[in-house]
Amino acid sequence: METKQFKAESKRLLDMMIHSIYTHKEIFLRELISNASDAIDKLYFKSLTDDKVGLNKDDFAIWITADKDSRTLKISDNGIGMTEEELENNLGTIANSGSFKFKNENKLEEDNQIIGQFGVGFYSAFMVAKKVTVITKAYGSDKAYQWESEGVDGYTITEAEKANAGTEIILEMLDDTEDENYTEFLDQYRIKGLVKKYSDYIRFPVKMEVSHSRPKEQSEEDKEAKKPLEYEDYVEVETLNSMVPLWKKNKSELKEEDYKHFYTEKFYDYTEPLKYAHVKNEGVPSYNALLYIPGRAPFDFYSKDYEKGLQLYSNGVLIMDKCADLLPDYFSFVKGLVDSEDLSLNISREMLQHDRQLKVIAKSIEKTISSELKKMLKKDREKYEEFWKAFGLQIKYGAYSDYGMNKEKLQDLLLFTSSNEKKLVTLDEYVTGMREDQKYIYYAAGDSIERLEQLPQTELVKDNGYEILYLTDKVDEFVMRTLHSYKEKEFRNVSSDDLGIENTEKQEEIKAKEEESTDMLKTLGEALEGKVSKVVLSQRLKTHPVCISTEGDITLEMEKVLNSMPSDQKVKAQRVLEINPEHEIYGKLKALSDSGDSEKLGKYAKLLYTQALLIEGMDIENPVEFSNLICELM
Ligand code: ADP
Ligand code: MG
């Protein structure tokens, strides 16, 4: 018999399972039951349109059999089964498991997180078993097969005997060790508890023969003689799960705990959800939905591996695991499910996309999410800020993308860090707090709050007592551009040329100084030819000697972001070097200019320009020249 090797990454996962120190090893049962339920779902689905299946809904079941003598635990189902090829593909290659993607190296800490955060599927059996045997017969096939493996060394597939379609998974449990007790998984009470805990809402009955004992009938004589009772054992088939889907129950029957528990079990997220909503929509189409806002972003959330979507059921039958059309991208973090009786069961994925009913449901779900978020923002700010930390970026992308098509819907969900106490504020709060003479909503964009706090360009704005929004995410400034204005107040970058701050006296003064120093500014400009479009005296600087501002549409921060993207076309912001006429450097430059030393003036220009770049967090164009210049002028 040929022993086959696992595919490389399957081997790694298997290895991880075998050596797992994960404390919730018990989840293996949940995984196997859920696989069984999935398999039954598939055959049940078929049975609705295909009489040949010959089974009614009530005939489907998952059976658990524990045998302490042989130390085996068997999970059987009468679902769709697997062909030889499917056995090979599904159990030999874990890449076929939708629930697992390799991200981390083989470090135990992280392994545990992976196991905790996902269902890792079939291989989790190896956390508790030394040998796993799968006997399966695919529906419609007349041959059965047996898959067997003792772990990383590989597996075998042989022909087998099995009467009906379905699958049996037989685990030979590991021996107990000092730290680990595997025998307990053969205990009927433990098994009952686990099914209740993890698989209570599985739609098909999970059955087990449970043994009880009862007192034997006593004869009158024995009773008279007050003989002690004798007990006898008997077995009874019990259904261990309650089956009724949570979302079909009445809201009044359900407690917060039930919803949270359901979430953990269904979405394998051990962090509590921030919020949930149970929607019962009686309109047309009628539907039930359970929606959750997770407490944290899954580790792949901001990668292209992340798949958004809600589970879609048609009257309790799962049609699709991740129906992407039910969620707009900006709410892609929402987890949950939708169950509608008005959706046809036989709908294909392609047709679903064009289904009118589905579109109506999606619209209504979007409204629910949006109003739940707004409610949270209003009533539970702390929680909302937690939400914002996890998923704010996604909302911002939403406001910016599709040419701002959804900006109106999303703008009131946005939060930005304010220069006032560095707390998060909404745009509405900003505008409400605006000073009477304030024309614009000011913002500064850069890598970090610390840096922005020290940005020379903010001096004048702050001096006027205006609040500034600190933007530190790459997408932020693009969001501002897309929004353009909020409640008729335009957004303005603090380094743009027009800040809308009037100070006629100062302006006059600077104008006069500029006239005095035309030559100087010209020489400086010439020295920085190609780098800046002009050199001016600054109206916005208070204490800093120089800064760079920009003319036109592209700011320095946008230049940085755009140029970091993979594209051949590089953009360049139109830079203006501003010199503070109140700083002593101005006097120095002026004196140099008056003395006619334009060569030295040119060197100063380069120094000051580079210094301004440094403050902005931009790359220095020529570090060697800069360093040489410093030494020379020292
Ligand atoms: P997932 O359930 O996320 O797809 P698993 O590792 O749990 O990943 O299972 C891998 C695959 O093996 C399943 O997708 C399914 O095709 C197949 N499988 C597992 N258990 C059964 C079963 N009891 N009946 C039929 N197919 C099964
Ligand atoms: Mg599975």
Side-chain angles (χ1 to χ4, degrees), residues 31-32 35-36 38-39 42 77 80-82 90-91 94 96-99 120-123 167 169:
E31 295 298 324
L32 299 180
N35 283 351
D38 291 348
K42 287 181 191 148
D77 65 70
I80 193 101
M82 283 176 273
N90 296 341
L91 305 188
I94 203 64
N96 274 9
S97 160
S99 48
V120 285
F122 173 76
Y123 286 173
T167 304
I169 316 261

